[in-house]
Amino acid sequence: MTDISAIAADLGYRAGWAAVRRAPEGAARAVFDRVGGFAGRRNGGPDQLRRNLARVIGVPPAEVPDELVADAVRSYARYWCEAFRLPAQDRATAASTANLPAADHARLDAAVSRGKGVVLALPHTGNWDMAGVWLVQHYGKFATVAERLKPESLFTRFVEYRESLGFEIFPLSGGEQPPLRVLADRLRAGGIVCLLGERDLARHGVPVTFFGERTRMPAGSARLAIETGAALFPAHHWFEKAPYSSMSVGEEIDVSGGVESATQALADAFAANIAAHPADWHMLQPLWEADWTDRQKARMSETGGAA
């Protein structure tokens, strides 16, 4: 991202948070829904999104229904609408719009009560910030990491936003100490850690098969569970009719087979959940090795990790 585009992005997000939170909810949602639908249909929608959805539903990209692409972009627009509005909302009211089934809630309660920490790994689906608000309301503060964005003012804005929701944020890079170290401390104290788990931003991921193709996913969730004895669960969030949404906390992941085995188990759980709610998976970037650019492949070769 160039300096000019980075500054423009910062100004755009600043304007979004200032304007959308003050607009009537119905009007704000209607605008984002229309814009998302238009963007999803324009020229067939984002090409990479279409390629990603093709893997999910098992068809060539040209056969992905246009309406699914449009629904996916509308879903992504809904995420941003809700994100811009969350800081001005009552947290308890916002959390009440998200539903976790009783069996999943009991599973999470039992793990938390053991006092050895809990790692929740989830993909970029639905509104992960709303899921975090629900978690804060029911269990108190949890820890997570944030990607280092440019310019620094934009990164700071996102950190302040999520901290205002009750999240404890550590930078993925450039912090006072490596994030895994402080996250491990939180787990050993019996805390909860939430990590987005299907996109390898730090380039230290492990190979997995995801929807039948090779990619790499972050190893942090599995590594933390193995090193600390914390329970590891796949989590998911998806949209229902606005303003409602649903969540799941799956069966505990067996980490006894090591990092790669546990990460593959997470990938399998993510795939099942994404396949059930494909329009709510917000993955507009290349994820599979087959879609990596030559530059990404070269970076993988240099680092020995993911692109």
Side-chain angles (χ1 to χ4, degrees), residues 1 32 55 57 67 71 85 89 126 166 219 271 273 296:
M1 182 181 291
F32 274 76
R55 271 86 169 209
I57 64 174
E67 192 57 33
D71 286 346
R85 292 183 62 80
Q89 287 185 285
N273 290 329
Q296 287 174 307

Side-chain angles (χ1 to χ4, degrees), residues 2 18 32 71 133 158 162 189 204 296:
T2 65
F32 274 76
D71 286 346
V133 168
F158 269 96
R162 292 191 167 113
H204 302 301
Q296 287 174 307

